[in-house]
């Protein structure tokens, strides 16, 4: 979190999948970093729920997980994840990926605004 | 985004890797071109247009980092996103790749889902960027077009109002010429008839002197009238001469001159124009200011003539100078502008006059000239004023000008 705060991003955090869903619906979130292993609802389920809700479906989700088996990675993408970063992650990689996906969000917004 | 429109360049020296990547990506509909070394890759990237480059790090000869740097240094290939292909999670390699300008990496051996997702993400980013750029360009283009349209429209308006005031001026010239022309003609007729009656032939010693005097007098009259005629022409020519430079002039004199140019169209009416402007000096565009003054005075005249039982028809011109600005007030006793339209009177094509007499451009042009050419402002309000012990009510036009207009701000609408 500190790495991204230092980059100037505003951060919110949730300690469970349910809380994450709540936050995503309440607040205007541009990007979600999601762990897989969580008590209760796991990351895959949380991701699926977020993608099912039209209000949160467009928010890109980056999985951040210690699990590095191809099975997990594939599953993450299948649930609608935008990228998968294996922990322990490289700082630069995290920064770049967060930057790229938030840029993509901004771009899509601008393109649809410009079209209107 | 159409997948089959996406063109991807693959640079890898390992034929097996190439084969695998090609298989995965072409199944998705991407069109792929490959190069087996860095040099070939760069020259391909320069020749053709690619939407994405997949680049191996470890290659004989030029390695992936150098290739990446070269691609990023060339304006033709700089914007193509580059994804590195690297052997499993070497942190140093990944960091170095990002630092060289790559947008992402994929580890080998390929994990299909990862490769596809990353390719898709960066293609989307690339296309969205390009689309936004195009939309912005289209928008700029549209804005430019609109600006040009407005400029042309303004030019036409300016031309039209100039023609209208020129027409008015010609009518004025006709008026002003009628009297001296009549006088000249009368003088000539007089001389001729005396000649025919034999006044000159049969002159005695005494009457000869009288005849001489008479002839001289008539010659002087004719000379005087022709001088009037030619000075009228000078006045009008001066009024229409396009002015490119600022000059210093006395405001009171300009007001006098403007009133004089209008005098004939006021005819025999009992309208009184009082010029109370003292010798305030202004540096600016004299002719253009005169055009505005004439326009305002002309409007005042029209309003005053419509009034039937006016106690007095008065136009009062005043001015004061302070702190680098000059305030000019043109006040008439015409009863004022209808409060419902007072906001609109400076708009183009807005006229209270009948179609035949008003173009609706006079006040619009006046404001354009004052604001754009002379960096001032013009406004109007209804108010009462006292002149010679009598209270009148009417519209008051208020012009504010810098008393010294800097040459560099002067830009005249080309005609």
């Amino acid at each position: 979190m500190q790495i991204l705060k230092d980059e100037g991003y505003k951060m919110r955090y949730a300690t469970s999948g349910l809380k994450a869903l709540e936050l995503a619906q309440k607040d205007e979130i541009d990007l979600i970093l999601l762990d897989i292993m969580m008590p209760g609802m796991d990351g895959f389920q949380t991701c699926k729920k977020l993608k099912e809700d039209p209000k949160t479906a467009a928010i890109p989700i980056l999985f951040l997980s210690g699990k590095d088996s191809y099975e997990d990675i594939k599953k993450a993408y299948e649930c609608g994840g935008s990228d998968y970063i294996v922990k322990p992650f490289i700082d630069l990689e995290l920064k770049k990926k967060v930057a790229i996906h938030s840029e993509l969000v901004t771009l899509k917004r601008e393109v649809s605004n410009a079209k209107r | 985004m159409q997948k089959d429109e996406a063109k991807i360049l693959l640079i890898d020296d390992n034929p097996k890797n190439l084969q695998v990547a090609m298989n995965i990506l072409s199944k998705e509909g991407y069109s792929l071109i490959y190069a087996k070394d860095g040099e070939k890759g760069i020259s391909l990237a320069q020749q053709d247009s690619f939407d994405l480059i997949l680049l191996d790090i470890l290659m004989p000869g030029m390695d992936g980092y150098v290739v990446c740097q070269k691609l990023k240094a060339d304006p033709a290939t700089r914007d193509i996103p580059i994804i590195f292909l690297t052997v499993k999670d070497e942190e140093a390699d990944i960091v170095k790749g990002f630092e060289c300008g790559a947008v992402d990496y994929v580890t080998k051996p390929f994990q299909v889902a990862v490769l596809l997702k990353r390719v898709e993400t960066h293609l989307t980013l690339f296309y969205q960027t390009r689309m936004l750029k195009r939309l912005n360009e289209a928008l700029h283009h549209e804005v430019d077009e609109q600006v040009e349209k407005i400029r042309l429209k303004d030019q036409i308006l300016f031309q039209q109002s100039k023609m209208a005031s020129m027409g008015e001026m010609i009518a004025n010239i006709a008026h002003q010429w009628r009297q001296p022309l009549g006088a000249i003609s009368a003088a000539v007729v007089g001389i001729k008839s005396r000649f025919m009656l034999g006044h000159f032939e049969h002159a005695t010693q005494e009457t000869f002197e009288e005849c001489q005097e008479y002839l001289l007098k008539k010659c002087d009259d004719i000379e005087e009238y022709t001088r009037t005629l030619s000075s009228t022409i000078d006045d009008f020519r001066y009024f229409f001469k396009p002015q490119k430079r600022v000059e210093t002039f006395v405001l009171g004199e300009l007001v006098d001159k403007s009133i004089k140019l209008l005098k004939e169209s006021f005819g025999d009416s009992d309208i009184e124009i009082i010029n109370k402007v003292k010798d305030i000096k202004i540096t600016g565009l004299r002719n253009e200011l005169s055009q505005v003054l004439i326009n305002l005075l002309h409007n005042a005249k029209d309003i005053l003539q419509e009034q039937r039982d006016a106690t007095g028809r008065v136009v009062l011109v005043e001015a004061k100078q302070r702190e680098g600005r000059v305030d000019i007030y043109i006040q008439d006793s015409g009863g004022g502008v209808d409060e419902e339209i007072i906001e609109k009177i400076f708009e183009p094509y807005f006229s209270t006059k009948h179609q035949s007499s008003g173009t609706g451009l006079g006040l619009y042009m006046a404001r354009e000239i004052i604001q754009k050419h002379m960096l001032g402002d013009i406004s109007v309000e209804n108010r009462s004023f006292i002149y010679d012990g009598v209270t009148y009510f009417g519209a008051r036009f208020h012009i504010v000008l810098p008393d010294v207009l800097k040459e560099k701000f002067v830009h005249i609408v080309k005609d």
Side-chain angles (χ1 to χ4, degrees), chain B residues 19-49:
Chain B
Q19 192 63 49
V20 175
M22 299 273 281
N23 274 342
I24 297 171
L25 292 167
S26 55
K27 239 184 244 165
E28 292 297 314
Y30 297 116
S31 65
L32 286 138
I33 290 176
Y34 69 90
K36 282 186 173 166
D37 61 66
E39 273 103 7
K40 188 95 185 299
I42 291 172
S43 82
L44 271 173
Q46 282 164 342
Q47 283 161 26
D48 214 337
S49 68

Side-chain angles (χ1 to χ4, degrees), chain A residues 68-70 73-74 77 80-86 89-94 96-97 100-101 103-112 114-115, chain B residues 88-92 94-96 98-99 101-105 110-115 117-118 121-122 124-126 128-129 131-132 135-136 139:
Chain A
D68 65 346
S69 76
Y70 183 51
I73 297 174
K74 213 173 149 191
Y77 284 128
S82 290
D83 214 331
Y84 194 104
I85 302 170
V86 180
F89 52 78
I90 305 164
D91 290 4
L92 186 62
E93 182 184 356
L94 179 69
K96 287 271 177 191
K97 295 212 151 150
I100 276 167
H101 287 282
E103 192 191 339
L104 198 52
V105 170
T106 320
L107 268 174
K108 280 181 175 164
R109 207 176 288 149
E110 276 175 31
V111 165
S112 72
K115 273 182 178 165
Chain B
K88 195 136 185 88
D89 294 337
E90 284 297 329
E91 174 164 354
I94 292 166
V95 170
K96 204 170 166 192
F98 278 129
E99 280 167 359
V103 290
D104 213 338
Y105 70 94
F110 296 123
Q111 294 170 316
V112 180
V114 178
L115 177 64
K117 193 71 194 178
R118 293 197 174 158
T121 297
H122 291 287
T124 312
L125 192 62
F126 182 69
Q128 296 280 326
T129 309
M131 191 181 293
L132 190 66
L135 285 169
N136 276 339
L139 201 65

Side-chain angles (χ1 to χ4, degrees), chain B residues 72-84:
Chain B
K72 289 294 161 192
D74 182 352
T77 53
R78 184 167 52 202
D79 294 332
I80 311 170
I82 296 173
I83 296 179
F84 267 105

Side-chain angles (χ1 to χ4, degrees), chain A residues 19-34:
Chain A
K19 280 186 182 156
L21 289 178
E22 237 174 73
L23 256 180
Q25 271 170 342
K26 225 171 41 196
D27 256 343
E28 293 223 346
I29 306 279
D30 294 322
L31 187 71
I32 295 169
L33 298 175
L34 187 57

Side-chain angles (χ1 to χ4, degrees), chain B residues 205-338:
Chain B
Q205 195 62 37
E206 306 105 66
T207 55
F208 182 73
E209 261 175 42
E210 193 208 317
C211 284
Q212 254 188 335
E213 225 169 83
Y214 173 81
L215 271 179
L216 263 177
K217 165 89 177 48
K218 287 296 159 192
C219 284
D220 283 348
D221 282 355
I222 292 172
E223 235 183 342
E224 173 62 28
Y225 290 131
T226 44
R227 207 174 304 139
T228 312
L229 293 181
S230 99
S231 86
T232 319
I233 291 180
D234 286 344
D235 282 351
F236 286 109
R237 196 171 51 191
Y238 159 83
F239 174 70
F240 280 112
K241 202 167 69 184
Q243 196 173 8
K244 297 249 161 23
R245 306 189 72 85
V246 299
E247 52 188 303
T248 304
F249 55 93
V250 178
L251 183 59
E253 286 172 12
L254 186 77
V255 174
D256 271 339
K257 211 154 201 161
S258 306
I259 293 172
K260 196 179 145 207
L261 284 171
L262 268 174
K263 209 173 65 197
E264 287 304 323
S265 64
F266 276 67
D268 300 327
S269 68
D270 54 356
I271 297 170
E272 201 180 343
I273 305 179
I274 303 115
N275 177 9
K276 288 182 103 176
V277 182
K278 300 279 167 0
D279 47 357
I280 292 171
K281 274 194 180 153
I282 292 186
T283 302
L285 301 167
R286 173 164 58 173
N287 297 357
E288 305 222 342
L289 182 57
S290 174
Q291 195 180 332
V292 172
L293 291 173
I294 287 176
N295 184 278
L296 295 179
L297 291 170
H298 207 278
N299 279 347
K301 182 209 76 178
D302 287 345
I303 297 290
L304 290 172
Q305 274 178 344
E306 277 170 22
Q307 282 205 315
R308 297 255 166 95
D309 44 312
T311 43
R313 304 175 206 269
V314 181
V315 183
L316 189 63
V317 186
E318 291 174 299
K320 60 177 186 240
Q321 184 172 30
R322 64 184 155 97
E323 290 161 10
R325 61 182 254 187
V326 175
D327 292 88
I328 306 171
Y329 301 98
I330 297 167
Q331 166 90 63
D332 67 56
S333 64
V337 186
D338 197 336

